[in-house]
Amino acid sequence: HVAPLDAGLPKFPLRLRPWQEGDWFVPLGMNGKKKISDFLIDKKVPANLKAKTLVLVTDQSIAWIVGQRLDNRFKVTEKTEQVLEISLKRIS
């Protein structure tokens, strides 16, 4: 679970929270927005794992569906000057 983000784009503080109905993001490689519920259905994520899905939030935007997909608006490009690499590790 590692997310490389363009360090100049997210606004701090970053928050980690469970996804909520109505949440949306712009999937990496796409230009249009997509509801997270539709994304998880398309990925065939089982219902018991959907409830455990976390999102990384910056300001009012979702930058990363943890372990699934980055938001296209925060991706690293050739214009990126610094990369912010976020990694999450489950502690038992």
Side-chain angles (χ1 to χ4, degrees), residues 55-89:
V55 293
L56 182 70
V57 180
T58 170
D59 198 19
Q60 298 297 318
S61 299
I62 292 173
W64 182 32
I65 301 176
V66 176
Q68 299 285 333
R69 183 82 57 95
L70 289 173
D71 186 297
N72 201 57
R73 298 169 292 175
F74 299 95
K75 71 182 176 185
V76 174
T77 68
E78 63 279 348
K79 295 179 182 178
T80 300
E81 294 180 13
Q82 289 186 318
V83 175
L84 172 64
E85 187 174 279
I86 299 173
S87 61
L88 296 177
K89 196 180 281 190

Side-chain angles (χ1 to χ4, degrees), residues 3-86:
L5 305 174
D6 182 322
L9 298 175
K11 295 180 182 174
F12 292 87
L14 300 176
R15 294 182 305 122
L16 191 62
R17 66 164 172 82
W19 77 279
Q20 300 167 355
E21 262 321 301
D23 280 347
W24 61 271
F25 78 127
V26 179
L28 186 63
M30 293 180 62
N31 292 320
K33 64 183 184 178
K34 185 169 192 128
K35 284 188 176 182
I36 292 179
S37 58
D38 293 339
F39 174 80
L40 295 173
I41 289 169
D42 291 350
K43 296 285 285 181
K44 296 181 172 49
V45 175
N48 63 325
L49 296 179
K50 279 184 196 178
K52 297 177 182 179
T53 300
L54 299 174
V55 293
L56 182 70
V57 180
T58 170
D59 198 19
Q60 298 297 318
S61 299
I62 292 173
W64 182 32
I65 301 176
V66 176
Q68 299 285 333
R69 183 82 57 95
L70 289 173
D71 186 297
N72 201 57
R73 298 169 292 175
F74 299 95
K75 71 182 176 185
V76 174
T77 68
E78 63 279 348
K79 295 179 182 178
T80 300
E81 294 180 13
Q82 289 186 318
V83 175
L84 172 64
E85 187 174 279
I86 299 173

